[in-house]
Amino acid sequence: MSYPGYPPSDSYPAFPGYPPTGQESVYPPAGQYTYPAVPGGFPGGGSYPAAPPNAGAAGYPAPGGYPASGGFPGAPQAGGMPPYPGGPGFPVPPTGPGFGGYPQQPPAQSYAGGGPAQIPGFPGGQVPSPMPGPPAAVVQYTQGTIQAAPNFDAGRDAEILRKAMKGFGTDEQAIINVVANRSNDQRQKIKAAFKTMYGKDLIKDLKSELSGNVEELILALFMPSTYYDAWSLRHAMKGAGTQESVLIEILCTRTNQEIREIVNCYNSEFGRDIEQDIRSDTSGHFERLLISMCQGNRDENQTVDYQKAQEDAQRLYQAGEGRLGTDESCFNMVLASRSFPQLKATVEAYSRIANRDLLSSIDREFSGNVERGLKTIVQCALNRPAFFAERLYYSMKGAGTDDSTLIRIVVTRSEIDLVQIKQMFTQMYQKTLATMIASDTSGDYRKLLLAIVGQ
Protein backbone atom coordinates (compact mmCIF):
# COMPACT_ATOMS: atom_id res chain seq x y z
CA MET A 1 0.00 0.00 0.00
CA SER A 2 1.14 3.48 -0.54
CA TYR A 3 0.55 7.05 -0.16
CA PRO A 4 3.48 8.14 -2.35
CA GLY A 5 5.54 10.71 -0.61
CA TYR A 6 4.43 9.39 2.82
CA PRO A 7 4.93 11.03 5.17
CA PRO A 8 4.92 14.20 3.07
CA SER A 9 5.63 17.74 4.14
CA ASP A 10 2.58 19.51 5.48
CA SER A 11 2.22 21.68 2.43
CA TYR A 12 1.68 20.84 -1.20
CA PRO A 13 2.86 23.02 -4.07
CA ALA A 14 -0.12 24.56 -5.84
CA PHE A 15 -0.42 23.74 -9.49
CA PRO A 16 -3.36 23.40 -11.89
CA GLY A 17 -5.73 20.57 -11.15
CA TYR A 18 -4.25 19.71 -7.81
CA PRO A 19 -6.15 19.76 -4.57
CA PRO A 20 -7.62 23.13 -3.61
CA THR A 21 -6.63 24.71 -0.34
CA GLY A 22 -7.86 22.60 2.51
CA GLN A 23 -7.89 19.45 0.40
CA GLU A 24 -4.14 18.88 0.22
CA SER A 25 -3.08 15.40 -0.76
CA VAL A 26 -1.17 14.74 2.38
CA TYR A 27 -1.20 11.81 4.75
CA PRO A 28 -1.22 12.14 7.68
CA PRO A 29 -3.25 15.39 7.40
CA ALA A 30 -1.24 18.59 7.49
CA GLY A 31 -0.24 19.92 10.84
CA GLN A 32 -0.97 16.72 12.77
CA TYR A 33 2.22 14.76 12.37
CA THR A 34 5.35 16.47 11.20
CA TYR A 35 8.29 14.78 9.58
CA PRO A 36 11.96 15.67 9.74
CA ALA A 37 13.12 17.60 6.70
CA VAL A 38 16.79 17.19 7.56
CA PRO A 39 18.62 14.59 9.59
CA GLY A 40 18.50 15.45 13.25
CA GLY A 41 15.84 18.09 13.08
CA PHE A 42 12.16 18.68 12.53
CA PRO A 43 10.67 21.25 10.15
CA GLY A 44 11.08 24.72 11.52
CA GLY A 45 12.90 23.36 14.54
CA GLY A 46 9.63 22.08 16.00
CA SER A 47 8.88 18.65 17.35
CA TYR A 48 6.27 15.98 17.13
CA PRO A 49 3.05 17.17 18.78
CA ALA A 50 1.89 15.32 21.82
CA ALA A 51 -0.14 12.22 21.23
CA PRO A 52 -3.90 12.81 21.46
CA PRO A 53 -5.28 11.88 24.84
CA ASN A 54 -7.60 9.21 23.54
CA ALA A 55 -8.99 7.58 20.44
CA GLY A 56 -11.71 10.16 20.07
CA ALA A 57 -9.38 13.14 19.94
CA ALA A 58 -9.66 15.35 16.89
CA GLY A 59 -7.30 14.45 14.11
CA TYR A 60 -6.53 10.96 15.39
CA PRO A 61 -7.37 8.02 13.17
CA ALA A 62 -10.82 6.71 13.97
CA PRO A 63 -10.93 3.00 14.77
CA GLY A 64 -10.61 0.99 11.60
CA GLY A 65 -9.47 3.68 9.21
CA TYR A 66 -7.04 6.43 8.36
CA PRO A 67 -8.09 10.09 8.30
CA ALA A 68 -9.97 11.27 5.23
CA SER A 69 -9.42 8.05 3.33
CA GLY A 70 -12.07 5.76 4.76
CA GLY A 71 -9.44 3.13 5.30
CA PHE A 72 -6.68 1.62 3.28
CA PRO A 73 -8.22 -1.46 1.65
CA GLY A 74 -5.89 -4.35 1.57
CA ALA A 75 -3.22 -2.71 3.72
CA PRO A 76 -0.48 -5.22 4.43
CA GLN A 77 -1.00 -6.84 7.79
CA ALA A 78 2.09 -8.98 8.12
CA GLY A 79 5.30 -7.52 9.42
CA GLY A 80 4.26 -4.18 10.77
CA MET A 81 0.48 -3.67 10.75
CA PRO A 82 -0.64 -5.34 14.02
CA PRO A 83 -3.19 -3.54 16.21
CA TYR A 84 -1.96 -1.29 18.99
CA PRO A 85 -1.95 -3.06 22.35
CA GLY A 86 -5.39 -2.51 23.79
CA GLY A 87 -6.71 -0.76 20.69
CA PRO A 88 -7.67 -3.18 17.91
CA GLY A 89 -8.87 -0.40 15.61
CA PHE A 90 -5.63 1.57 15.59
CA PRO A 91 -3.13 0.58 12.91
CA VAL A 92 0.45 0.84 14.05
CA PRO A 93 2.63 2.78 11.61
CA PRO A 94 4.99 0.23 10.04
CA THR A 95 8.32 -0.03 11.75
CA GLY A 96 10.30 -0.64 8.56
CA PRO A 97 12.36 1.97 6.70
CA GLY A 98 10.54 5.07 5.67
CA PHE A 99 8.04 5.61 8.42
CA GLY A 100 9.05 8.17 10.96
CA GLY A 101 7.95 6.41 14.07
CA TYR A 102 4.87 7.41 16.07
CA PRO A 103 3.06 10.73 16.44
CA GLN A 104 4.80 11.44 19.74
CA GLN A 105 8.57 11.00 19.82
CA PRO A 106 9.20 8.16 22.29
CA PRO A 107 11.64 8.43 25.18
CA ALA A 108 15.28 8.08 24.14
CA GLN A 109 15.80 4.87 26.06
CA SER A 110 13.31 3.04 23.85
CA TYR A 111 15.79 3.30 20.96
CA ALA A 112 18.29 1.26 22.90
CA GLY A 113 15.96 -1.69 23.01
CA GLY A 114 14.83 -1.18 26.60
CA GLY A 115 11.34 -1.87 27.86
CA PRO A 116 8.23 -0.72 26.03
CA ALA A 117 8.00 3.05 25.79
CA GLN A 118 5.24 4.44 28.00
CA ILE A 119 3.23 6.97 26.01
CA PRO A 120 0.30 8.45 27.94
CA GLY A 121 -2.96 8.46 26.04
CA PHE A 122 -2.07 5.68 23.62
CA PRO A 123 -4.30 2.62 23.80
CA GLY A 124 -2.72 0.34 26.33
CA GLY A 125 -0.34 3.13 27.38
CA GLN A 126 2.64 1.72 25.53
CA VAL A 127 4.06 0.77 22.17
CA PRO A 128 6.48 -2.04 21.45
CA SER A 129 10.19 -1.31 21.44
CA PRO A 130 12.68 -0.86 20.00
CA MET A 131 11.35 1.92 17.78
CA PRO A 132 13.42 3.17 14.86
CA GLY A 133 14.45 6.77 14.50
CA PRO A 134 13.17 8.73 11.52
CA PRO A 135 15.14 7.48 8.51
CA ALA A 136 16.06 9.42 5.39
CA ALA A 137 14.46 6.96 2.98
CA VAL A 138 10.74 6.71 2.26
CA VAL A 139 9.26 3.29 1.54
CA GLN A 140 6.12 3.41 -0.57
CA TYR A 141 3.42 0.79 -0.81
CA THR A 142 1.05 0.76 -3.75
CA GLN A 143 -1.92 -1.35 -4.63
CA GLY A 144 -3.70 -2.25 -7.83
CA THR A 145 -7.42 -2.87 -8.16
CA ILE A 146 -6.70 -6.12 -10.03
CA GLN A 147 -5.01 -8.95 -8.16
CA ALA A 148 -4.06 -12.40 -9.40
CA ALA A 149 -7.09 -14.66 -9.12
CA PRO A 150 -6.78 -17.49 -6.58
CA ASN A 151 -7.39 -21.07 -7.77
CA PHE A 152 -6.62 -19.93 -11.31
CA ASP A 153 -7.24 -22.42 -14.12
CA ALA A 154 -6.19 -21.15 -17.57
CA GLY A 155 -7.96 -24.01 -19.36
CA ARG A 156 -11.26 -23.37 -17.59
CA ASP A 157 -11.07 -19.64 -18.43
CA ALA A 158 -10.23 -20.42 -22.07
CA GLU A 159 -13.31 -22.65 -22.21
CA ILE A 160 -15.50 -19.87 -20.76
CA LEU A 161 -14.25 -17.41 -23.38
CA ARG A 162 -14.77 -19.95 -26.19
CA LYS A 163 -18.39 -20.55 -25.14
CA ALA A 164 -18.97 -16.77 -24.83
CA MET A 165 -17.95 -16.28 -28.49
CA LYS A 166 -19.42 -19.44 -30.04
CA GLY A 167 -22.60 -19.39 -32.11
CA PHE A 168 -24.86 -16.39 -32.63
CA GLY A 169 -24.12 -13.34 -30.54
CA THR A 170 -21.51 -12.85 -27.88
CA ASP A 171 -21.84 -13.20 -24.11
CA GLU A 172 -19.96 -9.99 -23.27
CA GLN A 173 -20.64 -10.28 -19.56
CA ALA A 174 -18.88 -13.66 -19.40
CA ILE A 175 -15.85 -12.14 -21.14
CA ILE A 176 -15.88 -9.17 -18.72
CA ASN A 177 -16.09 -11.48 -15.70
CA VAL A 178 -12.89 -13.24 -16.80
CA VAL A 179 -10.68 -10.45 -18.10
CA ALA A 180 -11.44 -7.95 -15.31
CA ASN A 181 -10.60 -10.44 -12.58
CA ARG A 182 -7.31 -11.91 -13.82
CA SER A 183 -3.82 -10.45 -13.64
CA ASN A 184 -1.95 -9.69 -16.86
CA ASP A 185 0.26 -12.73 -16.33
CA GLN A 186 -2.84 -14.93 -15.98
CA ARG A 187 -4.33 -13.46 -19.17
CA GLN A 188 -1.17 -14.48 -21.06
CA LYS A 189 -1.66 -18.04 -19.80
CA ILE A 190 -5.30 -17.97 -20.93
CA LYS A 191 -4.18 -16.93 -24.45
CA ALA A 192 -1.70 -19.81 -24.59
CA ALA A 193 -4.27 -22.33 -23.27
CA PHE A 194 -6.87 -21.14 -25.81
CA LYS A 195 -4.51 -21.78 -28.73
CA THR A 196 -3.52 -25.18 -27.32
CA MET A 197 -7.13 -26.29 -26.76
CA TYR A 198 -8.80 -24.90 -29.88
CA GLY A 199 -6.00 -24.25 -32.38
CA LYS A 200 -7.23 -20.67 -32.71
CA ASP A 201 -5.86 -17.27 -31.76
CA LEU A 202 -7.85 -15.76 -28.90
CA ILE A 203 -7.06 -12.18 -29.93
CA LYS A 204 -8.33 -12.75 -33.50
CA ASP A 205 -11.52 -14.32 -32.14
CA LEU A 206 -12.07 -11.40 -29.77
CA LYS A 207 -11.49 -8.89 -32.58
CA SER A 208 -14.10 -10.62 -34.73
CA GLU A 209 -16.68 -10.53 -31.92
CA LEU A 210 -16.08 -7.05 -30.48
CA SER A 211 -15.83 -3.50 -31.81
CA GLY A 212 -15.18 0.07 -30.76
CA ASN A 213 -13.88 1.06 -27.35
CA VAL A 214 -14.69 -2.24 -25.65
CA GLU A 215 -12.55 -4.02 -28.27
CA GLU A 216 -9.65 -1.60 -27.69
CA LEU A 217 -9.95 -2.05 -23.93
CA ILE A 218 -10.03 -5.86 -24.01
CA LEU A 219 -7.14 -6.08 -26.49
CA ALA A 220 -5.12 -3.73 -24.25
CA LEU A 221 -5.79 -6.01 -21.28
CA PHE A 222 -4.47 -9.01 -23.23
CA MET A 223 -1.23 -7.30 -24.27
CA PRO A 224 1.77 -7.97 -21.99
CA SER A 225 2.29 -4.74 -20.03
CA THR A 226 5.71 -3.94 -21.54
CA TYR A 227 4.44 -4.60 -25.05
CA TYR A 228 1.41 -2.34 -24.43
CA ASP A 229 3.68 0.56 -23.43
CA ALA A 230 5.93 -0.03 -26.44
CA TRP A 231 2.89 -0.35 -28.74
CA SER A 232 1.44 2.91 -27.32
CA LEU A 233 4.73 4.74 -27.97
CA ARG A 234 4.94 3.39 -31.54
CA HIS A 235 1.33 4.34 -32.19
CA ALA A 236 2.01 7.87 -30.81
CA MET A 237 4.82 8.42 -33.33
CA LYS A 238 3.48 6.48 -36.31
CA GLY A 239 2.17 8.34 -39.32
CA ALA A 240 1.44 12.05 -39.55
CA GLY A 241 1.69 14.00 -36.32
CA THR A 242 2.92 12.97 -32.91
CA GLN A 243 0.98 12.41 -29.68
CA GLU A 244 3.51 14.09 -27.40
CA SER A 245 1.34 13.65 -24.31
CA VAL A 246 1.60 9.86 -24.68
CA LEU A 247 5.40 10.02 -24.93
CA ILE A 248 5.50 12.17 -21.77
CA GLU A 249 3.02 10.02 -19.85
CA ILE A 250 4.97 6.80 -20.44
CA LEU A 251 8.64 7.82 -20.63
CA CYS A 252 8.54 10.32 -17.71
CA THR A 253 6.71 8.07 -15.22
CA ARG A 254 8.12 4.54 -15.55
CA THR A 255 10.90 2.95 -13.47
CA ASN A 256 14.39 2.28 -14.88
CA GLN A 257 13.63 -1.40 -15.37
CA GLU A 258 10.33 -0.67 -17.09
CA ILE A 259 12.01 1.86 -19.43
CA ARG A 260 14.77 -0.58 -20.42
CA GLU A 261 12.26 -3.35 -21.07
CA ILE A 262 10.11 -0.98 -23.16
CA VAL A 263 13.10 0.14 -25.24
CA ASN A 264 14.14 -3.49 -25.89
CA CYS A 265 10.58 -4.54 -26.71
CA TYR A 266 10.16 -1.58 -29.09
CA ASN A 267 13.22 -2.74 -31.00
CA SER A 268 12.40 -6.46 -31.03
CA GLU A 269 8.67 -6.15 -31.83
CA PHE A 270 8.71 -3.27 -34.29
CA GLY A 271 12.28 -3.52 -35.62
CA ARG A 272 12.89 0.13 -34.84
CA ASP A 273 15.18 2.18 -32.60
CA ILE A 274 13.07 4.29 -30.24
CA GLU A 275 15.72 7.01 -29.91
CA GLN A 276 15.82 7.41 -33.69
CA ASP A 277 12.03 7.64 -33.84
CA ILE A 278 12.04 10.27 -31.08
CA ARG A 279 14.66 12.31 -32.94
CA SER A 280 12.57 12.10 -36.12
CA ASP A 281 9.35 13.18 -34.39
CA THR A 282 10.51 15.74 -31.81
CA SER A 283 13.13 18.46 -31.55
CA GLY A 284 15.02 20.82 -29.25
CA HIS A 285 14.92 20.54 -25.48
CA PHE A 286 11.87 18.24 -25.56
CA GLU A 287 13.76 15.76 -27.74
CA ARG A 288 16.73 15.86 -25.32
CA LEU A 289 14.48 15.26 -22.32
CA LEU A 290 12.86 12.20 -23.94
CA ILE A 291 16.24 10.80 -24.99
CA SER A 292 17.41 11.21 -21.36
CA MET A 293 14.31 9.32 -20.19
CA CYS A 294 14.95 6.47 -22.65
CA GLN A 295 18.28 5.67 -20.96
CA GLY A 296 16.56 4.26 -17.87
CA ASN A 297 19.44 5.50 -15.75
CA ARG A 298 17.68 7.56 -13.08
CA ASP A 299 19.31 7.19 -9.66
CA GLU A 300 17.11 4.80 -7.69
CA ASN A 301 18.83 5.10 -4.31
CA GLN A 302 15.93 5.81 -1.94
CA THR A 303 18.11 7.57 0.64
CA VAL A 304 17.79 11.35 0.45
CA ASP A 305 20.95 13.50 0.47
CA TYR A 306 19.65 16.79 1.88
CA GLN A 307 22.88 18.64 1.16
CA LYS A 308 22.67 17.65 -2.50
CA ALA A 309 18.98 18.65 -2.53
CA GLN A 310 19.96 22.11 -1.30
CA GLU A 311 22.72 22.38 -3.91
CA ASP A 312 20.43 21.20 -6.72
CA ALA A 313 17.72 23.66 -5.66
CA GLN A 314 20.26 26.48 -5.76
CA ARG A 315 21.50 25.26 -9.14
CA LEU A 316 17.96 25.23 -10.56
CA TYR A 317 17.27 28.69 -9.18
CA GLN A 318 20.44 30.07 -10.77
CA ALA A 319 19.53 28.35 -14.06
CA GLY A 320 16.07 29.93 -14.18
CA GLU A 321 14.61 32.51 -11.84
CA GLY A 322 18.04 33.82 -10.81
CA ARG A 323 19.18 34.87 -14.30
CA LEU A 324 18.06 36.35 -17.58
CA GLY A 325 17.10 33.50 -19.85
CA THR A 326 17.08 29.83 -18.89
CA ASP A 327 19.79 27.19 -18.73
CA GLU A 328 17.56 24.34 -19.96
CA SER A 329 20.33 21.73 -19.78
CA CYS A 330 20.60 22.22 -16.00
CA PHE A 331 16.90 21.43 -15.52
CA ASN A 332 17.26 18.41 -17.79
CA MET A 333 20.30 17.12 -15.87
CA VAL A 334 18.72 17.39 -12.40
CA LEU A 335 15.21 16.22 -13.26
CA ALA A 336 16.35 13.34 -15.50
CA SER A 337 18.97 11.86 -13.17
CA ARG A 338 17.91 12.29 -9.52
CA SER A 339 15.78 9.71 -7.71
CA PHE A 340 12.16 10.67 -7.06
CA PRO A 341 12.63 10.93 -3.26
CA GLN A 342 15.69 13.11 -3.89
CA LEU A 343 13.71 15.31 -6.27
CA LYS A 344 10.97 15.71 -3.68
CA ALA A 345 13.54 17.05 -1.20
CA THR A 346 14.92 19.33 -3.93
CA VAL A 347 11.44 20.71 -4.64
CA GLU A 348 10.98 21.51 -0.95
CA ALA A 349 14.42 23.18 -0.76
CA TYR A 350 13.65 25.18 -3.93
CA SER A 351 10.48 26.61 -2.39
CA ARG A 352 12.53 27.97 0.53
CA ILE A 353 15.18 29.49 -1.76
CA ALA A 354 12.95 30.96 -4.47
CA ASN A 355 9.80 31.79 -2.48
CA ARG A 356 8.02 30.02 -5.30
CA ASP A 357 7.41 26.34 -5.98
CA LEU A 358 9.38 24.63 -8.73
CA LEU A 359 6.31 23.90 -10.83
CA SER A 360 5.51 27.62 -10.99
CA SER A 361 9.09 28.38 -12.03
CA ILE A 362 8.94 25.75 -14.79
CA ASP A 363 5.70 27.41 -15.95
CA ARG A 364 7.51 30.76 -16.16
CA GLU A 365 10.74 29.49 -17.74
CA PHE A 366 9.48 26.90 -20.25
CA SER A 367 6.59 26.37 -22.63
CA GLY A 368 5.06 23.66 -24.76
CA ASN A 369 6.00 19.99 -24.54
CA VAL A 370 9.26 20.38 -22.63
CA GLU A 371 7.35 22.30 -19.95
CA ARG A 372 4.79 19.50 -19.73
CA GLY A 373 7.54 16.86 -19.58
CA LEU A 374 9.49 18.59 -16.79
CA LYS A 375 6.30 19.21 -14.79
CA THR A 376 5.32 15.55 -15.15
CA ILE A 377 8.63 14.47 -13.59
CA VAL A 378 8.16 16.90 -10.67
CA GLN A 379 4.55 15.84 -10.17
CA CYS A 380 5.60 12.17 -10.07
CA ALA A 381 8.27 12.98 -7.48
CA LEU A 382 5.66 14.68 -5.31
CA ASN A 383 2.65 12.42 -5.84
CA ARG A 384 2.51 10.01 -8.78
CA PRO A 385 -1.12 8.91 -8.24
CA ALA A 386 -2.17 12.59 -8.31
CA PHE A 387 -0.55 12.97 -11.75
CA PHE A 388 -2.52 10.03 -13.16
CA ALA A 389 -5.72 11.18 -11.42
CA GLU A 390 -5.36 14.54 -13.19
CA ARG A 391 -4.77 12.82 -16.56
CA LEU A 392 -7.89 10.68 -16.05
CA TYR A 393 -9.99 13.70 -15.08
CA TYR A 394 -9.05 15.70 -18.17
CA SER A 395 -9.58 12.66 -20.42
CA MET A 396 -13.29 12.85 -19.49
CA LYS A 397 -13.85 16.53 -18.68
CA GLY A 398 -15.85 18.60 -21.13
CA ALA A 399 -17.35 17.51 -24.42
CA GLY A 400 -16.27 14.09 -25.62
CA THR A 401 -13.92 11.58 -24.03
CA ASP A 402 -10.27 10.84 -24.77
CA ASP A 403 -10.91 7.11 -24.69
CA SER A 404 -7.36 6.07 -25.58
CA THR A 405 -5.94 7.94 -22.57
CA LEU A 406 -8.70 6.64 -20.29
CA ILE A 407 -8.09 3.04 -21.43
CA ARG A 408 -4.29 3.30 -21.29
CA ILE A 409 -4.12 4.67 -17.73
CA VAL A 410 -6.79 2.35 -16.31
CA VAL A 411 -5.09 -0.69 -17.88
CA THR A 412 -1.45 0.22 -17.15
CA ARG A 413 -2.07 1.24 -13.51
CA SER A 414 -4.64 -1.47 -12.67
CA GLU A 415 -2.04 -3.74 -11.04
CA ILE A 416 0.25 -0.99 -9.72
CA ASP A 417 -1.43 1.93 -7.94
CA LEU A 418 -5.01 2.37 -9.20
CA VAL A 419 -6.29 2.19 -5.61
CA GLN A 420 -4.23 5.28 -4.73
CA ILE A 421 -5.20 7.00 -8.00
CA LYS A 422 -8.88 6.52 -7.11
CA GLN A 423 -8.31 7.98 -3.65
CA MET A 424 -6.48 10.99 -5.09
CA PHE A 425 -9.18 11.48 -7.74
CA THR A 426 -11.85 11.76 -5.04
CA GLN A 427 -9.75 14.20 -2.98
CA MET A 428 -8.91 16.39 -5.97
CA TYR A 429 -12.27 16.54 -7.72
CA GLN A 430 -14.86 15.75 -5.01
CA LYS A 431 -16.29 12.90 -7.08
CA THR A 432 -15.25 9.30 -7.54
CA LEU A 433 -13.48 7.99 -10.61
CA ALA A 434 -16.27 5.43 -11.03
CA THR A 435 -18.94 8.15 -11.03
CA MET A 436 -17.18 10.07 -13.79
CA ILE A 437 -16.56 6.91 -15.85
CA ALA A 438 -20.23 5.92 -15.50
CA SER A 439 -21.40 9.33 -16.74
CA ASP A 440 -18.94 9.45 -19.67
CA THR A 441 -19.17 5.90 -21.06
CA SER A 442 -21.87 3.36 -21.86
CA GLY A 443 -22.67 -0.27 -22.52
CA ASP A 444 -20.15 -3.07 -22.14
CA TYR A 445 -17.31 -0.53 -22.33
CA ARG A 446 -18.64 1.11 -19.17
CA LYS A 447 -19.21 -2.25 -17.45
CA LEU A 448 -15.64 -3.41 -18.12
CA LEU A 449 -14.03 -0.12 -17.04
CA LEU A 450 -16.03 -0.13 -13.80
CA ALA A 451 -15.10 -3.76 -13.18
CA ILE A 452 -11.40 -2.89 -13.57
CA VAL A 453 -11.53 0.14 -11.26
CA GLY A 454 -13.19 -2.04 -8.64
CA GLN A 455 -16.84 -0.99 -8.66
Side-chain angles (χ1 to χ4, degrees):
M1 270 309 296
S2 133
Y3 238 62
Y6 170 95
S9 62
D10 55 9
S11 64
Y12 200 93
F15 49 88
Y18 276 73
T21 304
Q23 298 293 320
E24 287 82 2
S25 56
V26 295
Y27 178 78
Q32 292 179 23
Y33 311 126
T34 54
Y35 192 77
V38 294
F42 299 107
S47 62
Y48 285 115
N54 55 56
Y60 196 76
Y66 287 82
S69 72
F72 270 61
Q77 297 297 313
M81 295 295 283
Y84 267 119
F90 292 80
V92 175
T95 56
F99 299 89
Y102 291 79
Q104 176 172 331
Q105 189 75 340
Q109 63 266 27
S110 70
Y111 286 102
Q118 298 295 317
I119 300 184
F122 271 55
Q126 63 182 32
V127 293
S129 66
M131 290 174 52
V138 176
V139 169
Q140 301 178 354
Y141 290 102
T142 53
Q143 184 184 7
T145 53
I146 292 181
Q147 312 288 334
N151 306 315
F152 170 67
D153 184 332
R156 181 181 60 203
D157 285 346
E159 190 175 355
I160 292 170
L161 293 177
R162 173 74 174 136
K163 285 179 180 175
M165 294 184 285
K166 192 176 180 181
F168 294 104
T170 305
D171 184 353
E172 284 89 355
Q173 189 59 52
I175 297 173
I176 290 170
N177 290 343
V178 171
V179 299
N181 294 289
R182 305 293 183 270
S183 68
N184 189 280
D185 182 61
Q186 289 175 333
R187 290 185 214 112
Q188 305 314 311
K189 291 182 170 70
I190 294 169
K191 270 199 303 190
F194 193 92
K195 185 170 281 189
T196 300
M197 293 165 67
Y198 304 111
K200 300 184 72 177
D201 187 281
L202 174 59
I203 302 305
K204 286 182 180 175
D205 276 14
L206 287 168
K207 276 182 157 181
S208 68
E209 298 289 333
L210 305 168
S211 62
N213 291 321
V214 71
E215 176 190 353
E216 184 181 343
L217 177 54
I218 285 182
L219 295 183
L221 287 165
F222 273 102
M223 289 184 196
S225 54
T226 299
Y227 177 86
Y228 184 40
D229 275 346
W231 178 88
S232 298
L233 291 170
R234 178 71 192 122
H235 188 70
M237 292 185 280
K238 191 176 181 181
T242 304
Q243 296 172 279
E244 291 89 356
S245 62
V246 178
L247 305 183
I248 292 168
E249 178 198 304
I250 294 174
L251 293 175
C252 294
T253 66
R254 302 305 195 246
T255 66
N256 285 350
Q257 183 178 348
E258 287 168 342
I259 292 283
R260 290 169 189 161
E261 289 172 354
I262 291 166
V263 169
N264 290 336
C265 179
Y266 192 95
N267 180 262
S268 62
E269 294 295 328
F270 307 115
R272 302 181 68 89
D273 180 85
I274 193 169
E275 286 189 28
Q276 190 55 52
D277 281 357
I278 288 171
R279 288 193 179 95
S280 300
D281 276 60
T282 62
S283 61
H285 297 293
F286 181 53
E287 173 197 325
R288 290 170 208 162
L289 179 64
L290 294 182
I291 295 296
S292 292
M293 294 297 99
C294 283
Q295 306 314 302
N297 281 331
R298 181 181 298 283
D299 179 15
E300 291 190 331
N301 182 356
Q302 298 299 291
T303 301
V304 174
D305 181 335
Y306 292 96
Q307 180 61 40
K308 181 188 280 188
Q310 186 74 17
E311 292 167 0
D312 281 347
Q314 189 67 46
R315 186 179 286 128
L316 292 173
Y317 178 74
Q318 294 299 336
E321 297 280 2
R323 60 175 281 172
L324 284 173
T326 307
D327 179 358
E328 294 89 354
S329 63
C330 177
F331 279 81
N332 194 104
M333 183 274 290
V334 172
L335 297 185
S337 61
R338 306 295 189 248
S339 71
F340 285 117
Q342 183 69 32
L343 283 178
K344 184 175 184 296
T346 300
V347 170
E348 292 166 352
Y350 185 91
S351 297
R352 293 191 291 271
I353 290 170
N355 271 338
R356 174 180 284 118
D357 66 74
L358 184 56
L359 286 161
S360 298
S361 290
I362 291 172
D363 262 334
R364 289 157 58 95
E365 299 292 326
F366 295 88
S367 62
N369 292 314
V370 68
E371 175 199 336
R372 286 189 280 274
L374 293 171
K375 286 173 70 175
T376 295
I377 295 169
V378 173
Q379 288 167 0
C380 284
L382 294 170
N383 191 322
R384 191 185 309 259
F387 166 76
F388 286 111
E390 183 184 39
R391 288 278 288 158
L392 285 169
Y393 178 76
Y394 284 104
S395 75
M396 294 180 280
K397 187 177 185 291
T401 303
D402 180 354
D403 293 292
S404 289
T405 295
L406 175 59
I407 289 168
R408 188 175 56 255
I409 294 176
V410 166
V411 170
T412 58
R413 310 313 291 185
S414 61
E415 293 182 52
I416 300 173
D417 54 2
L418 193 50
V419 167
Q420 285 71 38
I421 292 168
K422 286 166 56 181
Q423 290 167 345
M424 288 309 310
F425 192 98
T426 303
Q427 285 189 38
M428 291 161 66
Y429 303 110
Q430 288 75 56
K431 65 175 75 173
T432 66
L433 175 58
T435 299
M436 200 160 182
I437 287 173
S439 66
D440 257 61
T441 59
S442 61
D444 293 319
Y445 178 46
R446 173 200 285 166
K447 286 181 191 173
L448 181 51
L449 280 171
L450 292 176
I452 296 168
V453 302
Q455 295 302 123

